[in-house]
Amino acid sequence: MDPIGSINTKKDTTYAILLAAQERDWPIHYLEQGDMQLRDGAPFGRVRRLRLFRDEDPWFEFIGEDDIALDDLDVLLMRKDPPFDMEYVHTTYILEQIEARGVLVVNRPQALRDANEKMFTAWFPQCTPPTLVSRRHQDLRAFLDAQRDIILKPLGSMGGESVFRVSASDPNVNVIIETLTGYQQRFVMAQRYLPEIKDGDKRILVIDGKPQPYALARMPPPGETRANLAVGGRGEGRPLTQRDRWICDQIGPTLRERGIMFAGLDVIGDYLTEINVTSPTCVRELDALYGLDIGAELLDAVESKLRSEG
């Protein structure tokens, strides 16, 4: 995961998962990317053992530190936030060696590499608004001319970082495209702007292919296009609509097939905009709103998977 001292326990999903693991008396070993290594093809790690204190400050302590063979673990949850860069890719290679030695890795390392959170939506075009991925200036400009009002975003970031709303009359169109594509050296995603964002960008959490019954609709702050909590968005609970469930039905089997046990679908109005597979969030907010224990449900699915694999 990311450095443990940096997380906000009121909002952090990893904290909810950690609490659920401790309540099962599972020993918890904490690693960051830099704590992992491959030695002659075998995965090892410098781990710190954790004890948690629910809703207290300080909320954790380290109770030991060891060098271990990572294939001694039963399950390893990858909870590193984007950016999805080459260091992230290199980490998935180590995770894949751990998986090959019988450890359940959540989510599957190959899926983390293959299912880019923006581009993975292309596998479900029936669920998405008009979308283009390109790095050619003329392609992006033609898409804008056709749609008149679009969102432009990089493919490897999170939390609304470098997301632009652009209209056809915007005098800054060219420089925005140049900046995001690095003068046509990087792919970016363009999607038709969805005015339904005023009613929230819904995060739907999916565990082993099945959605939670409620979504967290992230409402954009005044004057903002982005609704991400990281930029000041406000969360409101919503029961899933029939359309939401249809979208989940379209995507759920593929998630399960690829070993993506925990995902977060982003839905604006009737349309899927992203599929978050690296470190989906909003568990703490939904737990508080509806009396759920989504972290425990995820670990129920993990236990079931461990039993089925013997």
mmCIF file with all atom_site columns, all heavy atoms in Angstrom, residues 199-212:
data_model
loop_
_atom_site.group_PDB
_atom_site.id
_atom_site.type_symbol
_atom_site.label_atom_id
_atom_site.label_alt_id
_atom_site.label_comp_id
_atom_site.label_asym_id
_atom_site.label_entity_id
_atom_site.label_seq_id
_atom_site.pdbx_PDB_ins_code
_atom_site.Cartn_x
_atom_site.Cartn_y
_atom_site.Cartn_z
_atom_site.occupancy
_atom_site.B_iso_or_equiv
_atom_site.pdbx_formal_charge
_atom_site.auth_seq_id
_atom_site.auth_comp_id
_atom_site.auth_asym_id
_atom_site.auth_atom_id
_atom_site.pdbx_PDB_model_num
ATOM 1   N N   . ASP A 1 199 ? -25.775 15.703  -10.909 1.00 0.00 ? 199 ASP A N   1
ATOM 2   C CA  . ASP A 1 199 ? -26.449 14.791  -9.986  1.00 0.00 ? 199 ASP A CA  1
ATOM 3   C C   . ASP A 1 199 ? -25.479 13.784  -9.372  1.00 0.00 ? 199 ASP A C   1
ATOM 4   O O   . ASP A 1 199 ? -25.902 12.885  -8.636  1.00 0.00 ? 199 ASP A O   1
ATOM 5   C CB  . ASP A 1 199 ? -27.577 14.040  -10.703 1.00 0.00 ? 199 ASP A CB  1
ATOM 6   C CG  . ASP A 1 199 ? -28.643 14.989  -11.236 1.00 0.00 ? 199 ASP A CG  1
ATOM 7   O OD1 . ASP A 1 199 ? -29.009 15.922  -10.501 1.00 0.00 ? 199 ASP A OD1 1
ATOM 8   O OD2 . ASP A 1 199 ? -29.082 14.799  -12.387 1.00 0.00 ? 199 ASP A OD2 1
ATOM 9   N N   . GLY A 1 200 ? -24.197 13.923  -9.685  1.00 0.00 ? 200 GLY A N   1
ATOM 10  C CA  . GLY A 1 200 ? -23.190 13.089  -9.046  1.00 0.00 ? 200 GLY A CA  1
ATOM 11  C C   . GLY A 1 200 ? -22.532 12.092  -9.975  1.00 0.00 ? 200 GLY A C   1
ATOM 12  O O   . GLY A 1 200 ? -23.124 11.618  -10.947 1.00 0.00 ? 200 GLY A O   1
ATOM 13  N N   . ASP A 1 201 ? -21.270 11.814  -9.650  1.00 0.00 ? 201 ASP A N   1
ATOM 14  C CA  . ASP A 1 201 ? -20.486 10.759  -10.300 1.00 0.00 ? 201 ASP A CA  1
ATOM 15  C C   . ASP A 1 201 ? -20.537 9.566   -9.346  1.00 0.00 ? 201 ASP A C   1
ATOM 16  O O   . ASP A 1 201 ? -19.913 9.578   -8.286  1.00 0.00 ? 201 ASP A O   1
ATOM 17  C CB  . ASP A 1 201 ? -19.049 11.259  -10.492 1.00 0.00 ? 201 ASP A CB  1
ATOM 18  C CG  . ASP A 1 201 ? -18.145 10.245  -11.166 1.00 0.00 ? 201 ASP A CG  1
ATOM 19  O OD1 . ASP A 1 201 ? -18.577 9.101   -11.370 1.00 0.00 ? 201 ASP A OD1 1
ATOM 20  O OD2 . ASP A 1 201 ? -16.995 10.594  -11.469 1.00 0.00 ? 201 ASP A OD2 1
ATOM 21  N N   . LYS A 1 202 ? -21.306 8.557   -9.716  1.00 0.00 ? 202 LYS A N   1
ATOM 22  C CA  . LYS A 1 202 ? -21.564 7.437   -8.805  1.00 0.00 ? 202 LYS A CA  1
ATOM 23  C C   . LYS A 1 202 ? -20.422 6.433   -8.806  1.00 0.00 ? 202 LYS A C   1
ATOM 24  O O   . LYS A 1 202 ? -19.987 5.995   -9.864  1.00 0.00 ? 202 LYS A O   1
ATOM 25  C CB  . LYS A 1 202 ? -22.871 6.729   -9.186  1.00 0.00 ? 202 LYS A CB  1
ATOM 26  C CG  . LYS A 1 202 ? -24.114 7.557   -8.928  1.00 0.00 ? 202 LYS A CG  1
ATOM 27  C CD  . LYS A 1 202 ? -25.380 6.815   -9.341  1.00 0.00 ? 202 LYS A CD  1
ATOM 28  C CE  . LYS A 1 202 ? -25.518 6.735   -10.852 1.00 0.00 ? 202 LYS A CE  1
ATOM 29  N NZ  . LYS A 1 202 ? -26.832 6.198   -11.258 1.00 0.00 ? 202 LYS A NZ  1
ATOM 30  N N   . ARG A 1 203 ? -19.957 6.074   -7.628  1.00 0.00 ? 203 ARG A N   1
ATOM 31  C CA  . ARG A 1 203 ? -18.987 4.994   -7.469  1.00 0.00 ? 203 ARG A CA  1
ATOM 32  C C   . ARG A 1 203 ? -19.762 3.753   -7.005  1.00 0.00 ? 203 ARG A C   1
ATOM 33  O O   . ARG A 1 203 ? -20.366 3.749   -5.929  1.00 0.00 ? 203 ARG A O   1
ATOM 34  C CB  . ARG A 1 203 ? -17.924 5.379   -6.452  1.00 0.00 ? 203 ARG A CB  1
ATOM 35  C CG  . ARG A 1 203 ? -17.028 4.224   -5.961  1.00 0.00 ? 203 ARG A CG  1
ATOM 36  C CD  . ARG A 1 203 ? -16.258 3.527   -7.047  1.00 0.00 ? 203 ARG A CD  1
ATOM 37  N NE  . ARG A 1 203 ? -15.430 4.420   -7.827  1.00 0.00 ? 203 ARG A NE  1
ATOM 38  C CZ  . ARG A 1 203 ? -14.213 4.832   -7.448  1.00 0.00 ? 203 ARG A CZ  1
ATOM 39  N NH1 . ARG A 1 203 ? -13.694 4.435   -6.304  1.00 0.00 ? 203 ARG A NH1 1
ATOM 40  N NH2 . ARG A 1 203 ? -13.527 5.638   -8.237  1.00 0.00 ? 203 ARG A NH2 1
ATOM 41  N N   . ILE A 1 204 ? -19.727 2.714   -7.826  1.00 0.00 ? 204 ILE A N   1
ATOM 42  C CA  . ILE A 1 204 ? -20.377 1.444   -7.521  1.00 0.00 ? 204 ILE A CA  1
ATOM 43  C C   . ILE A 1 204 ? -19.281 0.427   -7.228  1.00 0.00 ? 204 ILE A C   1
ATOM 44  O O   . ILE A 1 204 ? -18.425 0.167   -8.077  1.00 0.00 ? 204 ILE A O   1
ATOM 45  C CB  . ILE A 1 204 ? -21.251 0.963   -8.701  1.00 0.00 ? 204 ILE A CB  1
ATOM 46  C CG1 . ILE A 1 204 ? -22.308 2.014   -9.050  1.00 0.00 ? 204 ILE A CG1 1
ATOM 47  C CG2 . ILE A 1 204 ? -21.902 -0.376  -8.370  1.00 0.00 ? 204 ILE A CG2 1
ATOM 48  C CD1 . ILE A 1 204 ? -23.074 1.709   -10.330 1.00 0.00 ? 204 ILE A CD1 1
ATOM 49  N N   . LEU A 1 205 ? -19.290 -0.147  -6.048  1.00 0.00 ? 205 LEU A N   1
ATOM 50  C CA  . LEU A 1 205 ? -18.277 -1.127  -5.662  1.00 0.00 ? 205 LEU A CA  1
ATOM 51  C C   . LEU A 1 205 ? -18.747 -2.526  -6.021  1.00 0.00 ? 205 LEU A C   1
ATOM 52  O O   . LEU A 1 205 ? -19.889 -2.902  -5.729  1.00 0.00 ? 205 LEU A O   1
ATOM 53  C CB  . LEU A 1 205 ? -17.984 -1.018  -4.168  1.00 0.00 ? 205 LEU A CB  1
ATOM 54  C CG  . LEU A 1 205 ? -17.342 0.310   -3.741  1.00 0.00 ? 205 LEU A CG  1
ATOM 55  C CD1 . LEU A 1 205 ? -17.204 0.368   -2.223  1.00 0.00 ? 205 LEU A CD1 1
ATOM 56  C CD2 . LEU A 1 205 ? -15.986 0.509   -4.409  1.00 0.00 ? 205 LEU A CD2 1
ATOM 57  N N   . VAL A 1 206 ? -17.849 -3.282  -6.646  1.00 0.00 ? 206 VAL A N   1
ATOM 58  C CA  . VAL A 1 206 ? -18.169 -4.622  -7.130  1.00 0.00 ? 206 VAL A CA  1
ATOM 59  C C   . VAL A 1 206 ? -17.192 -5.612  -6.504  1.00 0.00 ? 206 VAL A C   1
ATOM 60  O O   . VAL A 1 206 ? -15.970 -5.463  -6.651  1.00 0.00 ? 206 VAL A O   1
ATOM 61  C CB  . VAL A 1 206 ? -18.085 -4.694  -8.671  1.00 0.00 ? 206 VAL A CB  1
ATOM 62  C CG1 . VAL A 1 206 ? -18.437 -6.089  -9.169  1.00 0.00 ? 206 VAL A CG1 1
ATOM 63  C CG2 . VAL A 1 206 ? -19.009 -3.654  -9.302  1.00 0.00 ? 206 VAL A CG2 1
ATOM 64  N N   . ILE A 1 207 ? -17.732 -6.620  -5.804  1.00 0.00 ? 207 ILE A N   1
ATOM 65  C CA  . ILE A 1 207 ? -16.924 -7.650  -5.163  1.00 0.00 ? 207 ILE A CA  1
ATOM 66  C C   . ILE A 1 207 ? -17.192 -8.976  -5.848  1.00 0.00 ? 207 ILE A C   1
ATOM 67  O O   . ILE A 1 207 ? -18.329 -9.445  -5.884  1.00 0.00 ? 207 ILE A O   1
ATOM 68  C CB  . ILE A 1 207 ? -17.232 -7.742  -3.656  1.00 0.00 ? 207 ILE A CB  1
ATOM 69  C CG1 . ILE A 1 207 ? -16.836 -6.443  -2.952  1.00 0.00 ? 207 ILE A CG1 1
ATOM 70  C CG2 . ILE A 1 207 ? -16.510 -8.938  -3.021  1.00 0.00 ? 207 ILE A CG2 1
ATOM 71  C CD1 . ILE A 1 207 ? -17.219 -6.402  -1.480  1.00 0.00 ? 207 ILE A CD1 1
ATOM 72  N N   . ASP A 1 208 ? -16.145 -9.558  -6.429  1.00 0.00 ? 208 ASP A N   1
ATOM 73  C CA  . ASP A 1 208 ? -16.242 -10.829 -7.141  1.00 0.00 ? 208 ASP A CA  1
ATOM 74  C C   . ASP A 1 208 ? -17.402 -10.825 -8.137  1.00 0.00 ? 208 ASP A C   1
ATOM 75  O O   . ASP A 1 208 ? -18.165 -11.773 -8.241  1.00 0.00 ? 208 ASP A O   1
ATOM 76  C CB  . ASP A 1 208 ? -16.394 -11.985 -6.139  1.00 0.00 ? 208 ASP A CB  1
ATOM 77  C CG  . ASP A 1 208 ? -16.024 -13.335 -6.754  1.00 0.00 ? 208 ASP A CG  1
ATOM 78  O OD1 . ASP A 1 208 ? -15.263 -13.348 -7.735  1.00 0.00 ? 208 ASP A OD1 1
ATOM 79  O OD2 . ASP A 1 208 ? -16.502 -14.377 -6.251  1.00 0.00 ? 208 ASP A OD2 1
ATOM 80  N N   . GLY A 1 209 ? -17.505 -9.718  -8.864  1.00 0.00 ? 209 GLY A N   1
ATOM 81  C CA  . GLY A 1 209 ? -18.500 -9.610  -9.924  1.00 0.00 ? 209 GLY A CA  1
ATOM 82  C C   . GLY A 1 209 ? -19.868 -9.142  -9.506  1.00 0.00 ? 209 GLY A C   1
ATOM 83  O O   . GLY A 1 209 ? -20.730 -8.920  -10.359 1.00 0.00 ? 209 GLY A O   1
ATOM 84  N N   . LYS A 1 210 ? -20.107 -8.956  -8.188  1.00 0.00 ? 210 LYS A N   1
ATOM 85  C CA  . LYS A 1 210 ? -21.439 -8.590  -7.706  1.00 0.00 ? 210 LYS A CA  1
ATOM 86  C C   . LYS A 1 210 ? -21.399 -7.196  -7.068  1.00 0.00 ? 210 LYS A C   1
ATOM 87  O O   . LYS A 1 210 ? -20.568 -6.932  -6.204  1.00 0.00 ? 210 LYS A O   1
ATOM 88  C CB  . LYS A 1 210 ? -21.936 -9.617  -6.693  1.00 0.00 ? 210 LYS A CB  1
ATOM 89  C CG  . LYS A 1 210 ? -22.082 -11.018 -7.273  1.00 0.00 ? 210 LYS A CG  1
ATOM 90  C CD  . LYS A 1 210 ? -22.528 -12.014 -6.214  1.00 0.00 ? 210 LYS A CD  1
ATOM 91  C CE  . LYS A 1 210 ? -22.645 -13.414 -6.800  1.00 0.00 ? 210 LYS A CE  1
ATOM 92  N NZ  . LYS A 1 210 ? -23.033 -14.422 -5.764  1.00 0.00 ? 210 LYS A NZ  1
ATOM 93  N N   . PRO A 1 211 ? -22.327 -6.310  -7.458  1.00 0.00 ? 211 PRO A N   1
ATOM 94  C CA  . PRO A 1 211 ? -22.290 -4.946  -6.938  1.00 0.00 ? 211 PRO A CA  1
ATOM 95  C C   . PRO A 1 211 ? -22.884 -4.846  -5.535  1.00 0.00 ? 211 PRO A C   1
ATOM 96  O O   . PRO A 1 211 ? -23.770 -5.610  -5.158  1.00 0.00 ? 211 PRO A O   1
ATOM 97  C CB  . PRO A 1 211 ? -23.145 -4.171  -7.935  1.00 0.00 ? 211 PRO A CB  1
ATOM 98  C CG  . PRO A 1 211 ? -24.149 -5.179  -8.410  1.00 0.00 ? 211 PRO A CG  1
ATOM 99  C CD  . PRO A 1 211 ? -23.397 -6.496  -8.464  1.00 0.00 ? 211 PRO A CD  1
ATOM 100 N N   . GLN A 1 212 ? -22.372 -3.865  -4.790  1.00 0.00 ? 212 GLN A N   1
ATOM 101 C CA  . GLN A 1 212 ? -23.044 -3.468  -3.562  1.00 0.00 ? 212 GLN A CA  1
ATOM 102 C C   . GLN A 1 212 ? -24.370 -2.800  -3.928  1.00 0.00 ? 212 GLN A C   1
ATOM 103 O O   . GLN A 1 212 ? -24.518 -2.236  -5.013  1.00 0.00 ? 212 GLN A O   1
ATOM 104 C CB  . GLN A 1 212 ? -22.164 -2.494  -2.777  1.00 0.00 ? 212 GLN A CB  1
ATOM 105 C CG  . GLN A 1 212 ? -20.885 -3.123  -2.231  1.00 0.00 ? 212 GLN A CG  1
ATOM 106 C CD  . GLN A 1 212 ? -21.186 -4.166  -1.165  1.00 0.00 ? 212 GLN A CD  1
ATOM 107 O OE1 . GLN A 1 212 ? -21.802 -3.880  -0.138  1.00 0.00 ? 212 GLN A OE1 1
ATOM 108 N NE2 . GLN A 1 212 ? -20.765 -5.396  -1.414  1.00 0.00 ? 212 GLN A NE2 1
#
